[in-house]
Amino acid sequence: MASKQGLKIPAATSAGHPPAAHARQDASSTAATGTHSEIVVASYNVHKCVGLDRRFDPQRTMEVISEIGADVIALQEADQRFGDRAGLLDLDAVERETGLVPVPLAGRLKSHGWHGNVVLFRKGSVSAARQIVLPGAEPRGAVVVDLELDAGPLRLIAAHFGLLRHSRKLQAGTLLSAAELHSDKPTVLVGDLNEWRLGKRSSLRSLEPAFGPMHAIVPSFPSRFPVLALDRVMARPHNLLTELEAHDTALARIASDHLPIRAVIRLNARRNGLAEAA
């Protein structure tokens, strides 16, 4: 049985494919709760499909993605870092297995995403997608995607922050400026943010006014024995986020050096806006 660590938190391109059988039986399936619906949003640094056994195995990575059963998932390190930055997964196979399809982005012909960031979704459509160059010592990027889902509208920000604390502070500020947070659309920020600190020492402190308290974190790194919460899911307003956990299975512990993290997000399918979502 899958072992999971987590917490309960108080309260134009389209996809409409059925999820895998086990995903249909899981809590990841969209569940109506009155006027609200719940979806599963996940983040997974796939480590270029190289596991802790140093074996390149995209099939194994796909199996972990299928295990998660997400409605929307952001992947990091899904492309080669150098050369033509070719994508490393068989996205057609991912679609057949999970019903997830990639958000189309402009860029290199062979890449899945932007600086290795890929967003996959099902049962909805993309109304807008933007690519952001993040400042810092290393080439880093983020994507901002507006999705129209059966459960309701959602803006997803997917990012992979740098290894240096100063770079992460700059990158957090850039996202706040570029993500159009003046909009009333429910917004979720996900990704490998490479920051485990909380409080005054955190390079993510500038995100707190928009995304609420930073205490809702779970360890995800290293995958064999996770102690650092490098991977995050944050929501605006904060109470959209109702559950958060690491997807801790035998396969996930070997497939990458990060565990995926998995969150339940409550959306309003009938109305848009922060007031209604709260």
Side-chain angles (χ1 to χ4, degrees):
M1 181 178 292
S3 168
K4 299 195 179 185
Q5 48 186 313
L7 59 139
K8 293 272 188 176
I9 301 171
T13 296
S14 61
H17 311 278
H22 57 274
R24 283 196 297 267
Q25 299 166 2
D26 194 82
S28 63
S29 300
T30 302
T33 55
T35 59
H36 295 88
S37 293
E38 292 181 348
I39 63 168
V40 170
V41 175
S43 179
Y44 187 23
N45 185 327
V46 301
H47 198 231
K48 301 180 182 65
C49 301
V50 177
L52 296 189
D53 55 4
R54 300 184 180 180
R55 184 159 57 92
F56 174 69
D57 192 343
Q59 173 65 28
R60 178 171 60 186
T61 301
M62 183 184 72
E63 289 171 6
V64 175
I65 293 171
S66 183
E67 279 185 351
I68 298 166
D71 298 290
V72 182
I73 183 169
L75 308 179
Q76 302 87 47
E77 298 191 19
D79 296 332
Q80 292 176 350
R81 187 167 186 179
F82 303 107
D84 59 7
R85 298 185 180 179
L88 299 171
L89 291 165
D90 183 342
L91 294 181
D92 290 336
V94 171
E95 182 181 357
R96 288 193 301 270
E97 174 65 21
T98 69
L100 294 163
V101 298
V103 170
L105 299 171
R108 295 175 183 267
L109 182 62
K110 296 183 179 180
S111 298
H112 289 335
W114 174 246
H115 288 280
N117 294 288
V118 180
V119 176
L120 304 168
F121 73 103
R122 66 163 149 252
K123 293 185 179 179
S125 61
V126 179
S127 58
R130 292 184 291 124
Q131 295 152 233
I132 300 170
V133 176
L134 296 178
E138 317 157 72
R140 298 282 178 170
V143 296
V144 180
V145 181
D146 286 331
L147 296 168
E148 301 298 329
L149 305 173
D150 288 353
L154 178 69
R155 173 165 292 150
L156 186 89
I157 307 168
H160 189 187
F161 282 7
L163 299 175
L164 301 178
R165 185 174 182 275
H166 178 67
S167 293
R168 292 194 297 272
K169 289 182 68 174
L170 293 174
Q171 289 158 2
T174 298
L175 277 191
L176 286 174
S177 299
E180 297 182 2
L181 295 181
H182 58 273
S183 167
D184 284 346
K185 184 170 290 187
T187 301
V188 177
L189 168 60
V190 301
D192 175 5
L193 303 188
N194 266 315
E195 178 62 272
W196 63 95
R197 302 174 187 87
L198 298 175
K200 294 181 179 180
R201 298 183 61 219
S202 173
S203 61
L204 307 181
R205 285 188 68 197
S206 64
L207 299 175
E208 190 159 0
F211 290 98
M214 294 289 151
H215 62 265
I217 59 175
V218 293
S220 58
F221 181 89
S223 57
R224 185 85 74 181
F225 188 75
V227 294
L228 300 178
L230 301 187
D231 303 278
R232 305 289 183 96
V233 177
M234 294 180 254
R236 178 178 183 270
H238 185 63
N239 61 1
L240 290 179
L241 181 60
T242 64
E243 296 179 32
L244 181 65
E245 66 185 2
H247 179 77
D248 188 354
T249 65
L251 194 62
R253 285 198 168 208
I254 192 69
S256 170
D257 58 346
H258 289 246
L259 289 178
I261 57 171
R262 183 178 182 276
V264 176
I265 302 294
R266 187 184 69 165
L267 295 178
N268 190 314
R270 295 183 181 178
R271 292 175 293 181
N272 189 7
L274 293 176
E276 289 85 353

